[in-house]
Amino acid sequence: MRIELQKRDGVSTLFAVLSPFVALGLTLIAGVILFVALGKDPVAALYSFFIEPLTEIWSLHELAIKAAPLILIAVGLSVCFRSNNWNIGAEGQFIIGAMAGSILPVVFHGWQSPLVLPLMIVFAMIGGAAYAAIPAFLKARLNTNEILTSLMLVYVAQLFLDWTVRGPWRNPEGFNFPETRNFHDYAVLPRIIETGKTHWGFGFALIAAIVLWFVMRRTLKGFEITVLGQSARAGRFAGFSDKKMVYFAFLLSGALAGLAGMAEVSGSIEQLRPVISPGYGFTAIIVAFLGRLNPLGIVAAGLVLALTYLGGEAAQISIGITDKVTRLFQGLLLFFVLGCDTLIHYRIRLVFGAAQKGSAA
Amino acid sequence: MKLVSCALRKNASKLGESERCLSPGGDVENQQSEIPLLETRGLTKIFGSLRACDAIDLAIAPGEVHALLGENGAGKSTLVKMLFGVLDPSGGEILWKGKPVKIGSPGEARATGIGMVFQHFSLFEALTVAENIALALDGKVPIEKISDEARRLSLDYGLPLDPSAHVADLSVGERQRIEIVRALLQNPELIILDEPTSVLTPQEADKLFETLAKLKAEGRSVLYISHRLEEVQRICDRATVLRHGKVTGACDPRQETPSSLARMMVGGEVATVSGAGLGEPGEVLVEVQKLSAPARSPFAVTLKDVDLTVRAGEVIAIAGVAGNGQSELFDVLSGEVTVSDADSIRIAGVAAGRLGITARRLMGCSFVPEERHGHAAVPNMNLSSNLVLSRYASDRKTFLSGGWLGLINAGPVATATKRISSAMDVRKSLVDPMAGSLSGGNLQKFIVGRELDRQPRVLVVNQPTWGVDAGAASRIRQALIDLAKSGSAVIVISQDLDEVFEIASRVAVLNEGRLSRPEPVATMTRERIGLLMGGFHDGAGHPQPEALHAH
């Protein structure tokens, strides 16, 4: 007996729309089973995980702050994934972007001017793009697998940040704590509204999502991205260059990841520390797929995934379970999203006996 | 020969294969001539909502050559895949010598006594002939024995083959011989051949027919799948015609005319293509001189010193057996692959060898590649997007707006899609369906129409009617001729000799990356083309040194 995936004749539009919600529902059911197995009251646990963070104004601001980097990175990744470039290293581009954006306030902290913030943005985007250019170059020139190279570069970036913060960039007045100087006022990303903590990182995320949605939907560039992702050969026939697209996709997603990194350190942390991200670059991969690689869907998906971060913290405090549950929920969600998407296009068949494959002819 | 074949079988008998040894007279069959060797009753295969085979009744008598006729997509391949155990029938039964059998896998089919030669070969190019045969025998027979047996069999049946040669070095015809010898080693009573001549030169096909006659004389049956009417009339005793998965006729092909057979296949008359009205060629539009391009992969073909001049108002056909550099030639003509010598390709007098495909399109050229899915069109995109695919640069003014933003204008694109669909009679159920949901013929009509719609000065087409039904094929051919009449230069790369003779004003033959001098179609014969296809470059039976070397 074998299990076989058989392509369906048509794709149900209804289920194509419902799929992310079905995945969310299944994640919740799996969550109930999980909490029961842990001996916790599942209703209370799910309440504190998914509802409680939405009940207060300050936690809604937290939600936006957490969602901002996820959306920014995921929007860039959606262009990558649509063009068939598998950038798994956004976490590293996020870190390098944050570091490049921190050069002015950390190394040249004496120079305080309104020009600092715009320059930090530019530096961060260049830094993230440059770091993403490494796997892009390796893929375009040497045909290496970008999944492996971009992933491995994440660990390089993490250790480089760790070394820098403990070494050359350590705050000389910081009692030997592994931290850089606090950013001066000109280097801190302002809040969007005075009453809440949400900073302009969330604004950048929304702008990026809307711009890329428009590009993908209406412009020739978006068309080029989709064609090359579907078939490189047809893309070459159209006169598009698949090698240039590798660079375009990686540089764009790297720049957005770098911007997200800078927004996080400048808007939220206000200094560099050995660890600046709870895995935003990886979670953004889930966000991109949960949002069906559509920039507007990604905004919604980013808010959902941000909720799992807040919920994890809340559940840790209120019912005393480990914050590893956050990662678990994220993993479950990705699993169910991909599973639902697959089952929209294929049905499962159990095959007894004769072969079904027609590959011989 | 038979004795040795049996000895080999005995050696392999640990595999549980029965020891069937046909004697050349086929006395076993003579006793059973009343009962068909193989019969299907109501054999059905359903893919989703498509009935690929719908209640097929077929009976093959011992010692007959039985033709299975039908257009692409009629269900021929599905039927034989069920007979060979590759696919599972959804309904109906298969009888072998009058007894119901269940053929669950190709191995079981071989054990029953059915051998098959597929249209697309399953050979390892890096291995030798004998090694490839040994792989299929899945036994522990020593390779020397297989070599000896293969050599003997191949000589007996007029299929000369060197067991120690590497497959990569062999021509398509020789590769097919390996497949046939491989099937014969299993000592089958029924041999299924799927479109065997589609890859052969006329001379190679004649050789194959001799072999089939030998097999028939031995009392073996042959199921011969084809859509070529002449050869079916020439070699087959009976024919079963399929259309849309149903049997539409069973006849003796020799009693029928080609047009009555075609009617059974197509279900109606096919318009004849008329090349009348092609005037005197005008100015030179394409000039290829000493064009060479190195192979881009180990098994690709190197183009060597290709010379070709195409004038306005003529259709040049480039004939040749598949795999002799057709796609390589298309790639350099289209600019998907550029060459280092800019002067080796001149389009309307401009050196274009280094220009990419977009620049060449802007010079008035259009291109139709061989592969529809994933090259000429993106299957998961709708027709209007596939229109933008090849036209966004040439029709920038209409299709795009917003300057550097490059906004795609949905309105004009939809209008043009509609215009092309109605001009080429593209049949579709939705206004703007996914390209992949159209049948091969309809999609090809759209792709050809997409390029004709802009009235190109130069059109390069690779295999314009490959896998296309007869109605669509004649429409496409007529459209190509009409384009030439209107004063454009048309280059058609085609393996289909009927097509070549139908539409071309001049014919050249591509063999191992070399192109023969184009000759007027009036003075060209099939025999001459066959010789050119086989590497005799002066076309008179005197092989050039390279050609000799290669074989």
Side-chain angles (χ1 to χ4, degrees):
Chain A
M1 193 200 80
R2 283 173 297 121
I3 301 174
E4 223 171 53
L5 286 179
Q6 199 179 41
K7 204 158 174 62
R8 290 180 194 268
D9 309 319
V11 175
S12 155
T13 339
L14 176 69
F15 275 96
V17 175
L18 281 184
S19 150
F21 301 98
V22 174
L24 275 177
L26 289 170
T27 309
L28 290 183
I29 292 170
V32 169
I33 296 169
L34 185 80
F35 287 127
V36 170
L38 282 172
K40 307 283 180 191
D41 174 13
V43 177
L46 286 178
Y47 178 82
S48 66
F49 214 99
F50 289 108
I51 310 290
E52 210 181 311
L54 300 176
T55 53
E56 288 181 69
I57 296 291
W58 70 265
S59 59
L60 286 177
H61 280 286
E62 284 298 320
L63 190 71
I65 291 169
K66 289 264 189 296
L70 291 177
I71 296 169
L72 258 180
I73 300 169
V75 160
L77 288 182
S78 75
V79 169
C80 261
F81 296 162
R82 274 200 187 272
S83 66
N84 211 9
N85 289 301
W86 300 95
N87 178 7
I88 307 298
E91 180 82 0
Q93 294 140 27
F94 177 95
I95 292 169
I96 298 296
M99 292 175 70
S102 305
I103 292 173
L104 287 181
V106 173
V107 182
F108 304 98
H109 61 98
W111 184 54
Q112 303 195 359
S113 135
L115 279 176
V116 168
L117 201 57
L119 281 176
M120 283 169 68
I121 291 174
V122 171
F123 279 27
M125 292 180 79
I126 291 174
Y131 205 57
I134 301 171
F137 171 82
L138 292 175
K139 180 182 181 181
R141 188 57 74 83
L142 304 172
N143 211 13
T144 49
N145 183 321
E146 74 274 26
I147 297 178
L148 297 179
T149 51
S150 62
L151 178 63
M152 289 192 287
L153 283 167
V154 171
Y155 307 113
V156 176
Q158 283 172 342
L159 293 171
F160 182 56
L161 170 68
D162 191 90
W163 174 79
T164 312
V165 171
R166 290 172 200 279
W169 284 10
R170 189 175 51 194
N171 185 357
E173 295 138 31
F175 310 103
N176 254 346
F177 278 107
E179 295 170 349
T180 63
R181 287 174 191 280
N182 282 321
F183 289 6
H184 52 75
D185 288 347
Y186 285 114
V188 172
L189 213 51
R191 296 174 174 189
I192 295 180
I193 45 172
E194 277 308 307
T195 53
K197 281 177 67 184
T198 308
H199 56 75
W200 266 98
F202 192 66
F204 295 155
L206 291 183
I207 294 168
I210 291 167
V211 167
L212 279 176
W213 172 79
F214 183 79
V215 166
M216 292 304 293
R217 199 174 172 84
R218 284 293 315 276
T219 70
L220 188 65
K221 192 72 197 172
F223 180 74
E224 180 183 343
I225 291 164
T226 320
V227 167
L228 282 170
Q230 297 254 346
S231 162
R233 189 88 208 264
R236 279 201 295 279
F237 175 68
F240 302 138
S241 158
D242 46 349
K243 286 210 159 54
K244 280 186 194 154
M245 182 51 67
V246 173
Y247 283 108
F248 176 83
F250 269 89
L251 293 187
L252 178 75
S253 64
L256 288 177
L259 176 64
M262 173 269 171
E264 179 72 9
V265 291
S266 160
S268 303
I269 311 176
E270 302 186 14
Q271 63 177 184
L272 278 182
R273 293 180 190 153
V275 174
I276 54 169
S277 160
Y280 286 133
F282 294 118
T283 309
I285 298 169
I286 308 174
V287 172
F289 279 104
L290 186 64
R292 331 221 81 205
L293 303 184
N294 175 331
L296 298 187
I298 284 169
V299 174
L303 290 168
V304 171
L305 264 296
L307 186 59
T308 62
Y309 278 122
L310 291 187
E313 285 170 15
Q316 202 179 359
I317 297 163
S318 59
I319 51 173
I321 50 174
T322 162
D323 66 340
K324 299 279 189 299
V325 172
T326 306
R327 305 299 291 275
L328 201 85
F329 263 112
Q330 293 175 352
L332 280 172
L333 192 56
L334 180 65
F335 174 80
F336 285 121
V337 166
L338 296 180
C340 286
D341 279 3
T342 305
L343 291 179
I344 285 176
H345 293 280
Y346 298 90
R347 67 165 57 90
I348 293 179
R349 256 180 65 113
L350 299 180
V351 181
F352 306 89
Q356 284 289 322
K357 279 197 291 190
S359 58
Chain B
M1 187 282 300
K2 281 298 131 202
L3 286 175
V4 177
S5 180
C6 285
L8 189 65
R9 279 260 68 82
K10 272 180 192 147
N11 269 330
S13 65
K14 19 177 131 71
L15 308 168
E17 308 242 7
S18 63
E19 291 171 28
R20 286 166 289 95
C21 288
L22 282 178
S23 59
D27 46 7
V28 183
E29 279 68 29
N30 290 342
Q31 295 159 14
Q32 304 181 338
S33 54
E34 306 300 312
I35 311 167
L37 178 67
L38 179 105
E39 194 181 352
T40 69
R41 290 190 189 149
L43 200 63
T44 302
K45 177 71 192 177
I46 302 171
F47 294 111
S49 59
L50 175 76
R51 300 178 86 85
C53 281
D54 193 355
I56 303 279
D57 294 331
L58 173 76
I60 302 167
E64 77 167 351
V65 180
H66 193 112
L68 190 58
L69 268 170
E71 293 195 272
N72 294 80
K76 294 172 305 200
S77 292
T78 308
L79 176 61
V80 295
K81 279 184 198 163
M82 287 193 284
L83 298 181
F84 198 57
V86 180
L87 286 172
D88 226 9
S90 315
E93 54 176 356
I94 301 171
L95 289 85
W96 180 255
K97 295 178 181 168
K99 293 189 202 78
V101 286
K102 185 162 168 29
I103 301 170
S105 70
E108 283 176 50
R110 282 193 283 263
T112 312
I114 302 175
M116 173 139 188
V117 177
F118 284 102
Q119 189 176 5
H120 303 287
F121 311 139
S122 38
L123 297 171
F124 292 94
E125 299 206 329
L127 298 183
T128 66
V129 173
E131 284 165 342
N132 267 288
I133 292 173
L135 279 171
L137 285 180
D138 49 36
K140 293 202 175 91
V141 190
I143 194 124
E144 298 79 33
K145 200 151 209 158
I146 292 173
S147 281
D148 289 350
E149 178 65 7
R151 198 189 306 270
R152 220 181 291 266
L153 265 180
S154 68
L155 286 177
D156 263 19
Y157 287 97
L159 303 163
L161 209 52
D162 173 9
S164 57
H166 282 268
V167 172
D169 302 331
L170 300 182
S171 73
V172 185
E174 288 169 308
R175 291 179 196 204
Q176 188 180 52
R177 284 180 211 155
I178 304 174
E179 293 267 0
I180 295 173
V181 167
R182 193 150 86 169
L184 287 174
L185 268 174
Q186 314 272 348
N187 198 19
E189 290 168 74
L190 171 68
I191 297 170
I192 304 173
L193 294 151
D194 191 358
E195 303 263 359
T197 54
S198 62
V199 291
L200 301 182
T201 64
Q203 283 83 354
E204 284 175 319
D206 286 341
K207 274 255 173 228
L208 174 71
F209 299 154
E210 283 169 28
T211 306
L212 294 184
K214 269 214 173 81
L215 293 171
K216 185 182 156 185
E218 284 181 7
R220 298 174 205 264
S221 304
V222 175
L223 181 61
Y224 189 89
I225 301 161
S226 183
H227 61 259
R228 296 191 176 176
L229 304 175
E230 316 87 77
E231 60 186 45
V232 165
Q233 288 192 303
R234 191 168 142 198
I235 61 165
C236 297
D237 306 310
R238 279 203 300 149
T240 299
V241 187
L242 294 187
R243 185 170 80 238
H244 300 320
K246 290 198 171 90
V247 175
T248 53
C251 57
D252 177 350
R254 291 176 184 129
Q255 308 294 322
E256 304 286 329
T257 63
S259 65
S260 70
L261 284 173
R263 260 201 306 279
M264 277 189 250
M265 264 169 69
V266 183
E269 298 291 339
V270 177
T272 47
V273 176
S274 146
L278 276 179
E280 278 299 298
E283 84 227 78
V284 174
L285 284 181
V286 180
E287 205 178 355
V288 179
Q289 265 183 348
K290 295 224 166 299
L291 171 67
S292 297
R296 276 169 294 131
S297 73
F299 297 121
V301 178
T302 308
L303 294 176
K304 298 162 211 135
D305 291 336
V306 172
D307 288 325
L308 181 69
T309 304
V310 192
R311 295 170 179 277
E314 67 174 350
V315 181
I316 294 265
I318 295 176
V321 177
N324 272 291
Q326 281 92 341
S327 44
E328 288 83 356
L329 179 62
F330 178 85
D331 285 351
V332 293
L333 285 180
S334 71
E336 277 183 73
V337 173
T338 53
V339 288
S340 49
D341 178 9
D343 281 322
S344 59
I345 301 173
R346 301 183 82 87
I347 297 168
V350 181
R354 289 185 176 180
L355 299 178
I357 188 166
T358 306
R360 294 190 201 186
R361 283 198 177 110
L362 290 172
M363 295 166 81
C365 302
S366 268
F367 309 97
V368 179
E370 172 181 7
E371 180 61 46
R372 288 184 280 277
H373 291 189
H375 191 179
V378 184
N380 287 333
M381 288 182 137
N382 52 24
L383 288 186
S384 54
S385 297
N386 274 297
L387 171 62
V388 176
L389 188 73
S390 76
R391 298 268 301 268
Y392 69 90
S394 55
D395 296 61
R396 192 170 188 101
K397 283 204 181 91
T398 345
F399 290 168
L400 298 182
S401 59
W404 60 270
L405 268 178
L407 304 182
I408 296 170
N409 299 333
V413 173
T415 315
T417 306
K418 210 173 149 193
R419 183 174 68 228
I420 292 163
S421 301
S422 67
M424 290 302 284
D425 185 28
V426 178
R427 291 174 203 170
K428 51 196 168 63
S429 48
L430 303 168
V431 178
D432 198 5
M434 296 291 160
S437 72
L438 294 185
S439 72
N442 274 315
L443 181 56
Q444 186 71 0
K445 280 194 278 184
F446 180 80
I447 291 166
V448 173
R450 171 179 79 186
E451 308 304 333
L452 294 177
D453 182 62
R454 55 175 288 232
Q455 285 291 318
R457 288 165 79 197
V458 176
L459 179 67
V460 184
V461 197
N462 192 6
Q463 317 298 350
T465 59
W466 171 80
V468 163
D469 61 88
S474 78
R475 179 147 205 137
I476 289 169
R477 289 173 192 159
Q478 188 63 54
L480 296 178
I481 291 173
D482 292 345
L483 180 71
K485 274 189 207 163
S486 73
S488 303
V490 180
I491 303 175
V492 178
I493 304 171
S494 177
Q495 291 166 54
D496 186 338
L497 285 188
D498 297 338
E499 175 168 271
V500 165
F501 279 104
E502 204 167 75
I503 64 175
S505 6
R506 289 191 295 149
V507 185
V509 176
L510 193 60
N511 171 255
E512 289 169 6
R514 291 171 182 279
L515 190 70
S516 72
R517 200 154 12 85
E519 294 175 36
V521 73
T523 61
M524 201 65 156
T525 61
R526 274 173 198 263
E527 286 61 42
R528 216 175 125 64
I529 289 193
L531 289 171
L532 289 166
M533 279 176 169
F536 299 94
H537 287 269
D538 56 2
H542 306 297
Q544 292 192 340
E546 297 92 332
L548 260 183
H549 195 69
H551 287 274

